């Protein structure tokens, strides 16, 4: 077993050996705190029945810990230089598959297809590159992969947005969509001082547990339209912000009637609606669309 670089000294040494420096443009901040790594793995309750997808393995600190517990780890790293290091480090670790690719260009369902019959659960666990956190999370949610757990290390501010409730400035598209998708919770805060190099901001571990009993891709698509309309124009009343949906409801007046019929005052602002209220509007939109296509 090679010496995995999980201390600050070891991280600096391996980068020097391969003549590489951390790339800010790829959000490279390497974690060297054992407790934090442990917390991330524990938050995913990883067992040998799991296939774990990791995005951005970097120098393999988290990958190695995941591989100790999971049936298999598939790790996608964009940086060719880091990928070269990972290939050397994991050459004798049979339950790790490495892929050199931009995850935004990968189809997760296709990537994991060979594992469908061989594992019980798909999990995604990652210290995400901060410059593309939101598109990465939505890509995973919309991938069609039946994740049982998602654990992410993200900027604290993003974690706050994911877990926010109605009324505050953090509450937005990310909060509503993810809280419909499943249960979102903050597991703990992580200081910027446990990364090399230290980022500008503190971080937090979040866990999202999808609710497959509730999730319906058609409702999700409608919810997306409703939420984008509401938060696209945060300061407007619902009736005005939902203007782009009025046609689907048969005009502005019918939209106002619908909102009132489900107990939502059209003069409210979108940011005051609970996830359940957003869902009521999305379901209303879906049933009208279904009626139109009959
Ligand atoms: N997992 C390592 C750790 O915890 O120390 C590194 C995490 S670092 C915050 C993010 C990693 O994501 C880097 O290794 C970076 O090269 C990689 N990365 C950045 N953009 C990516 C992309 N589009 N697809 C896959 N990996 C990416």
């Amino acid at each position: 077993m090679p010496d995995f670089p999980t201390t600050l000294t070891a991280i600096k040494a391996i980068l020097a050996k391969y003549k590489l420096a951390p790339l800010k443009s790829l959000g490279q901040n390497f974690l060297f705190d054992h407790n934090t790594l442990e917390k991330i793995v524990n938050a995913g309750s990883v067992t040998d029945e799991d296939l774990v997808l990791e995005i951005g393995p970097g120098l393999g600190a988290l990958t190695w810990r995941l591989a100790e517990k999971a049936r298999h780890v598939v790790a996608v790293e964009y940086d060719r230089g880091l990928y070269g290091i990972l290939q050397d480090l994991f050459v004798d670790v049979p339950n790790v598959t490495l892929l050199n690719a931009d995850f935004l260009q990968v189809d997760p369902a296709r990537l994991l297809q060979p594992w469908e019959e061989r594992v019980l659960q798909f999990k995604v666990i990652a210290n995400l590159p901060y410059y593309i956190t939101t598109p990465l999370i939505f890509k995973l949610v919309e991938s069609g992969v039946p994740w049982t757990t998602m654990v992410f290390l993200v900027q604290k501010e993003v974690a706050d947005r994911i877990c926010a409730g109605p009324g505050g400035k953090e509450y937005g598209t990310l909060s509503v969509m993810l809280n419909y998708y499943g249960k979102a919770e903050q597991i703990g805060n992580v200081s910027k001082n446990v990364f090399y190099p230290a980022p500008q901001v503190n971080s937090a571990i979040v866990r999202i547990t999808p609710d497959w009993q509730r999730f319906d891709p058609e409702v999700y698509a409608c919810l997306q339209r409703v939420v984008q309309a509401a938060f696209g124009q945060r300061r407007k009343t619902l009736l005005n912000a939902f203007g782009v949906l009025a046609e689907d409801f048969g005009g502005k007046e019918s939209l106002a009637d619908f909102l009132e019929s489900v107990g939502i005052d059209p003069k409210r602002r979108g940011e005051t609606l609970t996830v359940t209220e957003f869902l009521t509007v999305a379901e209303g939109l879906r049933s009208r669309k279904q009626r139109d296509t009959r």
Side-chain angles (χ1 to χ4, degrees), residues 26-31 54-58 76-79 82 101-103 127-129 131-132:
L26 285 183
Q28 290 175 359
N29 302 99
F30 304 109
L31 199 49
E54 186 191 3
I55 299 151
V76 182
E77 174 54 59
Y78 193 14
D79 186 313
L82 295 182
D102 170 0
F103 190 76
N127 172 11
L128 292 177
Y131 73 108
I132 43 168

Side-chain angles (χ1 to χ4, degrees), residues 17-288:
K17 182 177 159 197
Y18 284 82
K19 298 188 171 45
L20 293 174
L23 293 177
K24 207 174 170 188
S25 60
L26 285 183
Q28 290 175 359
N29 302 99
F30 304 109
L31 199 49
F32 58 81
D33 178 55
H34 290 255
N35 287 338
T36 306
L37 287 162
E38 217 53 49
K39 241 190 205 174
I40 296 172
V41 177
N42 289 343
S45 306
V46 181
T47 76
D48 67 355
E49 295 181 332
D50 299 338
L51 179 294
V52 180
L53 171 69
E54 186 191 3
I55 299 151
L59 293 166
L62 180 59
T63 323
W64 169 56
R65 281 184 163 73
L66 293 170
E68 283 185 318
K69 297 200 166 161
R71 170 79 54 89
H72 203 90
V73 180
V74 174
V76 182
E77 174 54 59
Y78 193 14
D79 186 313
R80 194 174 259 282
L82 295 182
Y83 176 72
I85 299 182
L86 290 164
Q87 276 184 311
D88 290 347
L89 287 173
F90 288 93
V91 67
D92 289 324
V93 185
N95 68 333
V96 172
T97 301
L98 300 164
L99 182 70
N100 181 205
D102 170 0
F103 190 76
L104 289 177
Q105 306 302 322
V106 169
D107 175 353
R110 244 179 97 188
L111 179 67
L112 303 184
Q113 204 174 14
W115 294 95
E116 258 166 27
E117 306 286 316
R118 290 191 266 169
V119 292
L120 283 180
Q121 314 194 83
F122 287 121
K123 295 180 176 172
V124 53
I125 301 182
N127 172 11
L128 292 177
Y130 292 174
Y131 73 108
I132 43 168
T133 304
T134 307
L136 282 177
I137 294 179
F138 279 120
K139 184 175 179 95
L140 291 161
V141 165
E142 290 159 18
S143 66
V145 175
W147 310 108
T148 55
T149 305
M150 301 170 140
V151 178
F152 302 122
L153 182 57
V154 294
Q155 287 178 55
K156 173 76 175 121
E157 175 245 321
V158 176
D160 288 343
R161 282 201 276 137
I162 291 174
C163 299
K169 66 175 174 19
E170 282 103 4
Y171 190 57
T173 306
L174 205 51
S175 338
V176 180
M177 296 313 293
L178 293 183
N179 283 283
Y180 166 63
Y181 184 64
K183 178 175 156 204
E185 38 185 348
Q186 286 202 32
I187 303 297
N189 292 332
V190 177
S191 155
K192 57 186 159 193
N193 300 325
V194 299
F195 297 91
Y196 173 74
Q200 303 270 317
V201 291
N202 288 322
S203 303
I205 302 167
V206 290
R207 176 171 56 211
I208 299 157
T209 313
D211 180 349
W212 294 112
Q213 300 255 325
R214 173 164 87 161
F215 187 78
D216 174 331
E218 273 183 39
V219 173
Y220 179 90
C222 291
L223 186 64
Q224 208 166 27
R225 282 191 63 205
V226 171
V227 166
Q228 274 162 5
F231 291 111
Q233 310 198 54
R234 283 182 95 99
R235 309 214 62 81
K236 290 197 172 175
T237 64
L238 275 181
L239 193 57
N240 287 328
F242 282 166
V244 288
L245 306 173
E247 206 179 309
D248 297 272
F249 281 88
K252 212 168 170 176
E253 259 176 48
S254 310
L255 172 61
D257 289 346
F258 166 76
L259 290 173
E260 269 160 8
S261 74
V262 293
I264 299 172
D265 182 348
K267 291 199 218 60
R268 278 168 67 186
R269 284 188 186 161
E271 64 197 14
T272 68
L273 261 62
T274 62
V275 176
T276 309
E277 287 175 318
F278 271 119
L279 206 47
T280 305
V281 182
E283 274 161 356
L285 179 61
R286 189 195 41 176
S287 60
R288 272 154 189 80

